[in-house]
Amino acid sequence: MEHRRVGSTDLNVSLLGFGCAPVGSRAGNAESVRALNLALDRGITYFDTADMYGVGGSEETLGRVLRGRRDKVVIASKCGYSFSSRLKAVAWIKPLLRPLVTRLKGVKASAGAVMASQRSQCFDPAYIEKCVHDSLRRLGTDRIDLFYLHDPSMEVVRRGDALARLANLKSAGKLRYIGISCEPDVAAQALSQKASVDVLQVNANLLEPGALTTVLPAARAAGVGIIARQPFANGRLFHDPRVRAATQSVGPTADGSAVSGLALRYLRQFPGIASILPSMMRPAHLNSNAAALEAGPLSAAELALVAALGAPAPQG
């Protein structure tokens, strides 16, 4: 597994990171634990979670799996969302209903609407500090390697008090490095105002390539690390008719392997990207993603497909 340095930090992380959004649910958690252990066996060292994933369950599960192996990995977490008691109940029940939700689009939309309606954001410095200490407790560690504000607005970034509180916690040794996980326009705002961040986590994929031409060059110039989230555009990449039609010529598409492989190998060729974060709940997903990143550079046919989608040419 290839490892890369994160910006100007002393963190070296696996190019394939483990996005822990699906980890920690009551249903399917045993499979998540198997996937986490397999990730460690395959040389993955970057694990990215958040307090909102499984309403704390993701951090708790990750902490249990990494017990005794803490010093061999880089842990990232995030905060900024707050949750009602109703959302906690929905988070517990939703995985049990996943088979039904997957088949019925109306049910899926309703479940998503309930989750969204019960979720709000808070970036008050006192709340941020409480979240950090809660995450430390759930993860069972005395420090978090990388801690992000989770989807803050431009106003939160401009105001700066939430980042200042993270900087204080960094000085106290609770956090090693701090950053923002956000949309590319917010990341660009942070860079333009020279916000004190070590790392930015941004959407970067074939359907949303803007960060690759705006955020990535500026971040590299400033020594700020880049972590690529949503490499599959939250699943939209697999259903995009242009992508599916074009990949017919370069590999099988029945299981999405040609699409996911193209997406990951494309991002791999941008040297400023330290790690790529697909969600991987199942061991099969992990094996497929790792194999894609261990494959060679994009072929001429795949480069032509990238150009046809209007994505910038890879740099590496």
Side-chain angles (χ1 to χ4, degrees):
M1 177 64 62
E2 180 182 351
H3 286 69
R4 295 182 179 182
R5 186 178 178 186
V6 184
S8 297
T9 75
D10 64 356
L11 299 176
N12 283 286
V13 298
S14 52
L15 180 56
L16 178 62
F18 197 110
C20 296
V23 174
S25 64
R26 299 303 188 273
N29 200 39
E31 193 165 30
S32 294
V33 169
R34 286 195 294 273
L36 286 167
N37 280 300
L38 177 61
L40 290 163
D41 292 341
R42 294 208 60 155
I44 290 175
T45 59
Y46 179 60
F47 295 85
D48 187 281
T49 185
D51 59 1
M52 71 170 289
Y53 299 159
V55 194
S58 178
E59 290 179 324
E60 291 173 349
T61 300
L62 183 61
R64 286 195 299 271
V65 171
L66 295 180
R67 195 167 296 147
R69 297 180 279 192
R70 172 68 184 90
D71 293 337
K72 298 179 180 180
V73 300
V74 171
I75 296 176
S77 195
K78 319 176 193 71
C79 77
Y81 284 96
S82 55
F83 302 91
S84 69
S85 58
R86 185 182 178 198
L87 180 61
K88 294 178 181 179
V90 172
W92 193 92
I93 294 170
K94 186 180 177 183
L96 303 176
L97 301 178
R98 186 172 283 119
L100 175 63
V101 167
T102 300
R103 288 192 292 269
L104 301 177
K105 292 182 179 179
V107 173
K108 184 175 182 180
S110 298
V114 169
M115 293 288 282
S117 69
Q118 299 302 310
R119 169 171 95 186
S120 60
Q121 288 185 296
C122 180
F123 293 97
D124 291 341
Y127 178 72
I128 295 297
E129 183 160 350
K130 178 182 181 301
C131 288
V132 168
H133 285 100
D134 287 345
S135 290
L136 286 164
R137 173 181 51 79
R138 285 190 291 262
L139 287 163
T141 184
D142 61 350
R143 83 282 182 197
I144 298 174
D145 300 300
L146 176 52
F147 201 87
Y148 301 98
L149 297 182
H150 202 174
D151 291 326
S153 66
M154 286 191 182
E155 175 56 31
V156 168
V157 174
R158 276 195 293 263
R159 198 169 65 231
D161 54 350
L163 283 171
R165 185 59 60 95
L166 288 186
N168 290 341
L169 290 162
K170 176 182 174 182
S171 297
K174 303 293 184 182
L175 312 174
R176 291 182 64 195
Y177 296 101
I178 62 174
I180 308 173
S181 178
C182 57
E183 296 295 326
D185 58 343
V186 178
Q189 166 70 25
L191 288 168
S192 69
Q193 72 180 56
K194 301 189 186 312
S196 297
V197 294
D198 304 301
V199 185
L200 291 167
Q201 185 178 123
V202 292
N203 294 5
N205 56 68
L206 287 164
L207 299 182
E208 301 170 298
L212 300 174
T213 55
T214 56
V215 177
L216 182 57
R220 293 188 71 191
V224 174
I226 291 291
I227 305 292
R229 70 179 190 180
Q230 298 291 349
F232 306 142
N234 202 25
R236 290 185 292 115
L237 199 67
F238 299 107
H239 305 290
D240 187 280
R242 299 172 304 158
V243 175
R244 290 192 64 84
T247 49
Q248 294 279 358
S249 63
V250 297
T253 60
D255 62 354
S257 59
V259 176
S260 60
L262 174 69
L264 295 174
R265 289 165 59 227
Y266 171 68
L267 293 175
R268 174 179 179 262
Q269 292 187 218
F270 287 86
I273 293 175
S275 191
I276 306 167
L277 282 176
S279 292
M280 301 184 291
M281 188 171 72
R282 297 183 175 88
H285 295 161
L286 189 152
N287 284 325
S288 176
N289 292 335
L293 286 176
E294 290 164 358
L298 296 175
S299 67
E302 289 166 327
L303 288 171
L305 169 58
V306 168
L309 292 172
Q315 298 173 352

